[in-house]
Amino acid sequence: MEPAWRQQGKGRGRSQESQGERSRPPQKEREGPGASVRSKFDEIRKSNQAAAQRLVESRVSSSSSDEEDDEDEEVKVDHKDGKRGKILASTFTTYTDQTGGDATGLVRTGQYVSDLFQSGALTCLICIGSVKRTQAVWSCSSCFSLFHLPCIQKWARDSAFLVSSVTDEDFGQKQHPWPCPKCRAEYPPSATPNRYMCYCGKQQDPPADPWLAPHSCGSVCQKQLKPTCGHTCLLLCHPGPCPPCPKMVSVSCLCGRAKPLPRRCSNKCRPCPRVSIQRCVCGREQAERSCSSPQWNCQQVCGSLLSCGNHTCEVLCHDGVCPPCPRSVSRSCPCSKTKSSLPCTEEVLPCGDTCDRRLSCGKHTCSMRCHRGSCETCRHEVEKECRCGKYRKFMPCHKEYLCDSKCPKTRSCQRHQCRRKCCPGNCPPCDQSCGRTLGCRNHKCPSGCHQGSCYPCPEAVEVTCSCGTTVLSVPCGRERSTRPPRCKETCRHPPSCHHPSRETHRCHPGPCPPCRLPCLLPLPRCSHTCPPPCHDQVLVKSQQVAGPWEQPSEPAFVQKALPCPPCQVPIPTSCFGEHEVSAVPCHRRGRFSCQRPCGRPLTCGNHDCSRECHLVTDGNKCKVCEEGCSKPRPPGCPHPCSRPCHPGNCPTCSQMIRQRCHCKISLLYVECTKLTSADEQTKVELSSCNNQCPKELSCGHRCKQVCHPGVCEEKCQQKVKLRCPCKRIKKEELEAFEKRQQRGGRRSKKRGRREEEVDEEARRAGRWWRRCAGFVLVPLGGALLSAAAYYLLTAA
């Protein structure tokens, strides 16, 4: 057996029946139990789909950018503000009709009315709970704040109880005022609210009407306007202060000379704001006071002679006639039993009867005779009971009997004992301060020590936007969880980068977005500016290195100022050798190497630099030419130039040419430059050893000329001795010659050995030498030294 919902719709006419059923209007009589189940199922399915759609839309909208959210919210807020403004404008028509459409005086009242229509805008500062339209409330007449009626009643009772008894004597006897939780305006105990009234105070327990302002009766306010002008408020029952009086009245000037002019009642002549020196009422003192309050009293006694002519006036500074003498009226004796009419100069004497005035104890009378002044203290001995009722004792009536027992009861705070001497049982509140931190976490409880939780903090804190223009007042403690109000002003935060001002954007909480303006800082070492976006505050990942046993921490981002990137402006620049001009980035500005040969002429002037293109400085010059000198030598010089390749003419050849003298006996060393540059006569002289020519003439004698080229001249000038036939002269000459040889033979041998040693040293040193007249001449520095001098020099 199939269920009923499956059996429906079977058969041939299922489609036609279904079409017919769709075309008919729904009728409850034809719907069975299955139809009701389907309809409920469809409703639940549609509601779930709608909820899912709203969830998706909220997620999508939350992931959108903040600027779009702000714009949407602004549109919504403006739309709501427009509707709310129209409603408020229609509410205040009774006032604007009197002012010709001017609503400047309704700003403060309109704010209170506007807050009533905003959900959660009104908060009870006692319980820190929202004030709903169906709850009984009380409005302060000074600050116009709304409080829950039970909250303000408990506040008034507790405040009066905490300050009612400072000492033991006046506990429970004085009526102390209680303050408003917000503005601290004091109210007498009789003003403690006990009924829920509308704002204007005409209707008790006003009903919650959706077409009226919450807690309003809907009738005309009719409160007396302040400052008092005789007119009443024209608005409907409303929260907040009444607006200024809109009535038109005729007002004259202060002196009354000018004609009255029509003016707004709230804009009548204001009191003079200036100050002037004015005398008091009695005219004795003068002081600088406001011109609008010329009447003032000093604190001196009048002292004027009274009408009796005997006494002076004892009233403080006053105007007009002094009062009559107080002694001129009917007077009585000190005990007030006998009355008499005497001149003011005479004193009324005591009557002599018993005083019988009530003493300060209130139980006994004075037993003295009629007397002036106060009665003495009561000295009757009575049995008195102490205040706590434990002990009794006889003592003078005027004294209070207090025992020394201390009260062991716990005070109302349930934390401290009473410990008061002779306590009658009405233990006073704990005189210690509570001092516990309130829920706001900002203030401490100022009340006396009490039982239970402390009252919420009565202070109100202003939550402002970043620029401080838009202010939102919230209860103390909620400023931490309350978002700053949205502000339509421009953000006023000073720039955190080098720019003089930020990009224009709206006021916002938290740090400003990073600057997107071009950096434009002058780059170092060039005249260009930095073109990328500002990089003074850039988030840089900073990750600390963890130890071997530590968990690696997540990377943190730190704001740092990054340096400007290198300048990329192309600059036409030539290479070191000026072979080409290329565009080089500004940060690499400077000449470069084009990889070609340098090509600069070397210092020799004969070749070019073969190095790669380079910069020529004092420390980086072109390479020195390492080739030899290839210039032609002077004619006759067989030596190459001793210098490397060089500019200009080659230096004179300083090498020595070794050649035989004319006589072919001595080797001569002659400078090449002297030999090649000399003429024929000088060449002959340079080739001569300056010794006597060793050649023999045809006559058998030696040539007397100095070493010379060519054939000796046959001009022998030597003298010849002719020998006699006896040969005596020749023998004598031979004997003289032998004697001379014997005397100088040893010296000549030594000289010969030394000459050989000098010749050997000269050969080892590679120097040239020659003999001249029995001496060996050695060239040294261009000078000819004797063999002995040369020997000493070489030995040293």
Side-chain angles (χ1 to χ4, degrees):
M1 186 68 182
E2 294 184 352
W5 63 273
R6 286 197 176 184
Q7 292 178 2
Q8 293 180 2
K10 284 188 175 183
R12 298 178 181 177
R14 180 179 62 178
S15 61
Q16 297 178 358
E17 292 176 359
S18 62
Q19 291 177 0
E21 290 177 358
R22 291 177 184 174
S23 62
R24 297 172 187 173
Q27 296 180 2
K28 293 184 179 180
E29 293 79 2
R30 297 183 180 181
E31 292 179 354
S36 62
V37 172
R38 284 198 305 273
S39 62
K40 290 182 179 180
F41 176 77
D42 293 339
E43 291 177 0
I44 294 173
R45 180 174 57 82
K46 290 179 180 178
S47 63
N48 291 339
Q49 289 179 353
Q53 183 66 22
R54 287 194 300 270
L55 178 62
V56 172
E57 291 177 356
S58 63
R59 292 294 178 88
V60 172
S61 62
S62 62
S63 63
S64 61
S65 62
D66 294 338
E67 296 182 358
E68 293 178 357
D69 290 344
D70 294 343
E71 293 176 0
D72 295 341
E73 289 179 2
E74 282 185 1
V75 172
K76 293 178 181 178
V77 169
D78 294 341
H79 185 62
K80 291 180 180 179
D81 291 342
K83 287 186 177 180
R84 191 180 299 118
K86 292 180 181 179
I87 296 174
L88 292 178
S90 63
T91 306
F92 298 142
T93 52
T94 56
Y95 182 88
T96 54
D97 291 343
Q98 297 283 339
T99 60
D102 185 9
T104 56
L106 295 170
V107 175
R108 189 178 176 192
T109 307
Q111 183 64 36
Y112 281 93
V113 177
S114 176
D115 291 343
L116 285 176
F117 295 100
Q118 296 184 17
S119 176
L122 297 180
T123 304
C124 177
L125 297 180
I126 299 177
C127 66
I128 314 299
S130 299
V131 178
K132 300 180 180 180
R133 63 169 53 240
T134 57
Q135 295 175 335
V137 296
W138 174 82
S139 176
C140 176
S141 60
S142 177
C143 63
F144 308 101
S145 298
L146 287 180
F147 304 93
H148 294 128
L149 186 62
C151 295
I152 197 64
Q153 289 174 346
K154 187 175 183 297
W155 174 275
R157 288 194 303 268
D158 293 347
S159 299
F161 180 77
L162 291 174
V163 299
S164 61
S165 179
V166 180
T167 61
D168 295 336
E169 287 75 10
D170 62 354
F171 176 69
Q173 298 179 4
K174 290 185 178 181
Q175 298 293 326
H176 294 278
W178 54 274
C180 169
K182 182 178 182 181
C183 65
R184 298 298 177 182
E186 293 186 348
Y187 292 89
S190 58
T192 302
N194 52 12
R195 292 180 299 172
Y196 172 38
M197 304 297 294
C198 64
Y199 297 112
C200 63
K202 295 179 181 178
Q203 185 177 357
Q204 182 179 352
D205 297 330
D209 191 344
W211 299 102
L212 296 176
H215 319 293
S216 173
C217 63
S219 60
V220 180
C221 179
Q222 292 184 347
K223 287 183 181 179
Q224 291 292 330
L225 298 176
K226 295 180 182 180
T228 304
C229 62
H231 302 116
T232 58
C233 181
L234 302 176
L235 298 179
L236 299 180
C237 182
H238 63 89
C242 295
C245 183
K247 296 286 186 179
M248 296 297 293
V249 294
S250 296
V251 183
S252 61
C253 61
L254 295 176
C255 65
R257 296 180 182 178
K259 293 182 180 181
L261 298 175
R263 287 191 178 181
R264 191 87 58 198
C265 184
S266 59
N267 294 333
K268 292 187 295 187
C269 294
R270 298 180 180 177
C272 181
R274 299 186 179 183
V275 295
S276 61
I277 298 177
Q278 300 177 4
R279 291 187 176 274
C280 63
V281 174
C282 67
R284 293 184 180 181
E285 293 185 5
Q286 59 181 9
E288 190 179 45
R289 293 178 54 83
S290 175
C291 219
S292 60
S293 58
Q295 298 292 330
W296 66 286
N297 301 86
C298 65
Q299 299 300 320
Q300 294 187 12
V301 178
C302 176
S304 300
L305 191 63
L306 297 177
S307 59
C308 66
N310 299 319
H311 302 95
T312 57
C313 179
E314 297 180 357
V315 182
L316 295 180
C317 176
H318 66 90
D319 57 347
V321 182
C322 295
C325 181
R327 293 173 176 265
S328 61
V329 297
S330 178
R331 292 178 290 166
S332 60
C333 65
C335 66
S336 301
K337 292 181 179 179
T338 304
K339 294 185 179 182
S340 61
S341 297
L342 297 176
C344 64
T345 56
E346 297 181 6
E347 292 288 342
V348 179
L349 298 176
C351 64
D353 197 357
T354 305
C355 180
D356 287 338
R357 285 185 288 181
R358 186 69 64 182
L359 295 176
S360 60
C361 64
K363 299 178 181 179
H364 307 97
T365 57
C366 181
S367 60
M368 298 176 63
R369 290 185 181 276
C370 180
H371 61 89
R372 293 186 178 91
S374 60
C375 298
E376 63 180 5
T377 55
C378 183
R379 299 184 183 275
H380 291 273
E381 290 287 334
V382 295
E383 185 180 11
K384 283 194 171 185
E385 186 179 9
C386 66
R387 190 166 56 182
C388 65
K390 293 182 179 180
Y391 305 97
R392 301 181 69 86
K393 183 181 180 180
F394 282 94
M395 58 186 310
C397 183
H398 71 278
K399 291 185 179 180
E400 184 181 7
Y401 179 32
L402 299 175
C403 66
D404 293 335
S405 61
K406 295 182 179 181
C407 180
K409 294 181 180 180
T410 304
R411 295 193 178 185
S412 59
C413 65
Q414 301 298 322
R415 296 170 61 188
H416 306 99
Q417 285 185 339
C418 177
R419 307 300 294 172
R420 187 173 64 158
K421 287 185 178 182
C422 195
C423 180
N426 56 344
C427 300
C430 186
D431 55 355
Q432 299 186 25
S433 177
C434 176
R436 287 182 289 185
T437 304
L438 297 178
C440 64
R441 304 296 179 185
N442 297 327
H443 305 94
K444 294 185 180 297
C445 181
S447 306
C449 187
H450 57 85
Q451 185 181 6
S453 59
C454 300
Y455 282 110
C457 183
E459 301 291 335
V461 181
E462 291 184 350
V463 178
T464 62
C465 62
S466 298
C467 66
T469 304
T470 307
V471 180
L472 178 64
S473 180
V474 297
C476 183
R478 286 196 177 182
E479 68 274 8
R480 300 183 185 91
S481 59
T482 303
R483 291 187 60 186
R486 295 190 179 274
C487 180
K488 297 182 180 179
E489 299 292 330
T490 305
C491 180
R492 301 176 185 174
H493 286 172
S496 58
C497 59
H498 63 277
H499 291 103
S501 60
R502 293 184 181 271
E503 291 180 291
T504 303
H505 60 282
R506 291 188 311 173
C507 179
H508 59 88
C512 292
C515 180
R516 300 177 183 175
L517 296 175
C519 179
L520 299 181
L521 280 177
L523 294 174
R525 299 187 299 275
C526 71
S527 59
H528 304 110
T529 57
C530 183
C534 182
H535 44 81
D536 287 351
Q537 298 288 336
V538 180
L539 290 176
V540 180
K541 184 184 294 185
S542 174
Q543 187 173 5
Q544 298 181 354
V545 179
W549 296 279
E550 297 178 356
Q551 291 291 337
S553 60
E554 295 183 359
F557 290 90
V558 182
Q559 284 189 346
K560 290 185 178 180
L562 299 181
C564 294
C567 184
Q568 300 293 335
V569 177
I571 303 250
T573 309
S574 61
C575 64
F576 293 129
E578 298 183 356
H579 305 122
E580 65 177 25
V581 176
S582 301
V584 179
C586 184
H587 73 279
R588 290 167 48 196
R589 181 180 58 183
R591 304 176 73 178
F592 61 95
S593 175
C594 64
Q595 310 297 327
R596 296 192 181 101
C598 175
R600 291 188 181 91
L602 297 178
T603 54
C604 65
N606 305 320
H607 305 92
D608 295 335
C609 180
S610 60
R611 288 177 55 187
E612 184 182 301
C613 181
H614 63 93
L615 179 64
V616 177
T617 59
D618 293 339
N620 185 22
K621 297 181 179 180
C622 291
K623 68 175 184 178
V624 179
C625 184
E626 297 178 354
E627 297 184 8
C629 181
S630 58
K631 293 183 178 181
R633 303 299 297 162
C637 178
H639 309 104
C641 182
S642 60
R643 293 180 59 188
C645 187
H646 59 85
N649 298 326
C650 295
T652 57
C653 184
S654 60
Q655 293 193 26
M656 307 300 289
I657 297 177
R658 189 178 64 175
Q659 61 180 2
R660 293 281 182 178
C661 61
H662 299 300
C663 57
K664 309 299 182 182
I665 296 176
S666 301
L667 288 174
L668 300 179
Y669 292 87
V670 184
E671 290 186 12
C672 181
T673 181
K674 292 182 179 181
L675 188 62
T676 56
S677 61
D679 53 3
E680 293 297 331
Q681 182 64 30
T682 307
K683 288 181 180 181
V684 171
E685 293 177 358
L686 291 176
S687 299
S688 172
C689 64
N690 295 326
N691 293 328
Q692 185 178 358
C693 180
K695 297 178 181 179
E696 290 184 358
L697 298 176
S698 58
C699 63
H701 295 105
R702 187 177 178 181
C703 180
K704 296 294 183 180
Q705 293 182 0
V706 180
C707 180
H708 60 86
V711 181
C712 297
E713 293 182 359
E714 294 294 336
K715 293 181 179 181
C716 182
Q717 298 295 333
Q718 187 174 1
K719 294 180 179 182
V720 180
K721 290 182 178 182
L722 298 176
R723 297 177 182 81
C724 63
C726 62
K727 298 182 181 180
R728 289 183 179 178
I729 294 175
K730 184 178 181 181
K731 184 178 180 180
E732 293 174 357
E733 290 178 356
L734 180 59
E735 291 176 355
F737 177 77
E738 288 178 355
K739 289 179 180 180
R740 284 195 303 270
Q741 290 295 330
Q742 290 177 359
R743 287 195 303 267
R746 189 175 296 174
R747 184 174 52 191
S748 62
K749 289 180 181 179
K750 291 180 180 180
R751 184 182 302 170
R753 285 195 298 269
R754 181 164 300 175
E755 287 176 358
E756 291 177 359
E757 292 175 359
V758 171
D759 292 343
E760 185 65 24
E761 288 292 333
R763 291 190 189 96
R764 291 178 182 175
R767 300 179 182 274
W768 61 276
W769 53 275
R770 69 182 175 218
R771 299 172 181 235
C772 180
F775 293 89
V776 177
L777 300 181
V778 181
L780 186 61
L784 295 177
L785 298 180
S786 64
Y790 180 76
Y791 178 79
L792 293 176
L793 288 176
T794 55

